Amino acid sequence: LGYLGYVSYIFEPSKNEANSELNQSQYYFNLALNELNSPAVSDSLFLIALEGGEGRYGFLDIISNYSGTPAAEIAEYSAGMIYIKLKKYEEAISYLEKFDSNDVLLSSIAFGSIADSYLNLNKPKISLEYYEKALSLNSNSFSNPKYLFKADVISNSLNLNQKALSYFKRIV
C-alpha cells in the first residue's frame, strides 16, 4: 500500500509536473537549434533552456527537482548537448554520462557526443573508447557510419593500425 500510495500521490504528479516544465525548456532548445543567423541569439536561447525563463524551470532545475523522472533524463541529455554547443565540454561530459535511456539510438548519440567532447579536449584515447561504446549499442545507419569514420581516423592517428583497418572494413 505504501508503494502504491507513493506512485499514485507523489511520483505520478511529480512526473506530470516535470513533463510540463520540460516543454518550455525544450521549446527554447529547439528555437536555439533553428537560429542559424546569429550565434549570440542561439547562445542566449540555450542559456534560457538551461536556466529557465518566464517563470518556468530550465533543464538544470528539472534535473535537480525531478530526479528519477523521464523528464529529468531528457533534461540531462539536453543539458549535455547544450554544453557542447556552448563549447563547455567538461560540463557536457558530466551530464551526458549521467544520462540513461532504453532508447539505443539516443544512448548511442550520447556516447558519440561524449566522444566528440573528449576529442575537443584533446583526449583521443578516451574519445575512441566512447566511440566504441556508441558503436556497440546497435548497428544503425544513422549514427554508426559517422562513429566508424571517427574511430577509424583516431585509431590511425594513435597508430592502432589493425583497429583502424577493422573500422575501415566495416565502413566499406
Side-chain angles (χ1 to χ4, degrees), residues 25 56 66 167 169:
S25 297
R56 301 298 296 254
Y66 299 104
Y167 291 130
K169 285 180 180 178

Side-chain angles (χ1 to χ4, degrees), residues 75-127:
E76 285 174 339
Y77 174 82
S78 299
M81 294 310 217
I82 287 173
Y83 281 123
I84 288 173
K85 295 286 188 184
L86 298 175
K87 297 182 180 3
K88 295 182 177 183
Y89 301 113
E90 290 176 359
E91 289 92 338
I93 292 166
S94 171
Y95 283 101
L96 289 171
E97 283 183 335
K98 293 176 194 172
F99 173 69
D100 184 33
S101 175
N102 292 333
D103 185 324
V104 289
L105 184 58
L106 213 51
S107 295
S108 176
I109 293 170
F111 281 132
S113 298
I114 293 169
D116 290 342
S117 296
Y118 275 118
L119 197 56
N120 283 309
L121 293 171
N122 201 24
K123 297 181 179 180
K125 287 183 182 177
I126 300 172
S127 178

Side-chain angles (χ1 to χ4, degrees), residues 47-167:
L47 289 175
I48 292 172
L50 270 176
E51 298 168 1
E54 298 180 13
R56 301 298 296 254
Y57 283 166
F59 291 131
L60 301 178
D61 297 318
I62 293 167
I63 293 166
S64 64
N65 292 320
Y66 299 104
S67 178
T69 65
E73 288 296 325
I74 294 298
E76 285 174 339
Y77 174 82
S78 299
M81 294 310 217
I82 287 173
Y83 281 123
I84 288 173
K85 295 286 188 184
L86 298 175
K87 297 182 180 3
K88 295 182 177 183
Y89 301 113
E90 290 176 359
E91 289 92 338
I93 292 166
S94 171
Y95 283 101
L96 289 171
E97 283 183 335
K98 293 176 194 172
F99 173 69
D100 184 33
S101 175
N102 292 333
D103 185 324
V104 289
L105 184 58
L106 213 51
S107 295
S108 176
I109 293 170
F111 281 132
S113 298
I114 293 169
D116 290 342
S117 296
Y118 275 118
L119 197 56
N120 283 309
L121 293 171
N122 201 24
K123 297 181 179 180
K125 287 183 182 177
I126 300 172
S127 178
L128 181 60
E129 291 173 19
Y130 276 95
Y131 284 130
E132 289 171 345
K133 285 181 183 181
L135 290 166
S136 71
L137 286 178
N138 73 340
S139 58
N140 65 71
S141 59
F142 176 72
S143 61
N144 273 22
K146 178 173 56 171
Y147 299 149
L148 281 169
F149 178 75
K150 289 180 178 186
D152 177 51
V153 170
I154 293 170
S155 297
N156 240 347
S157 72
L158 295 172
N159 292 322
L160 301 171
N161 298 330
Q162 286 303 110
K163 196 175 263 197
L165 181 61
S166 73
Y167 291 130

Side-chain angles (χ1 to χ4, degrees), residues 21-35 41-59 82:
E21 291 291 342
L22 183 66
N23 287 334
Q24 188 67 29
S25 297
Q26 205 64 46
Y27 171 75
Y28 285 115
F29 181 71
N30 291 335
L31 277 179
L33 288 176
N34 293 324
E35 182 57 52
V41 171
S42 66
D43 286 356
S44 296
L45 291 168
F46 280 137
L47 289 175
I48 292 172
L50 270 176
E51 298 168 1
E54 298 180 13
R56 301 298 296 254
Y57 283 166
F59 291 131
I82 287 173

Side-chain angles (χ1 to χ4, degrees), residues 8-20:
S8 298
Y9 295 108
I10 296 173
F11 184 74
E12 283 299 320
S14 177
K15 186 172 112 176
N16 294 336
E17 189 177 317
N19 287 336
S20 173

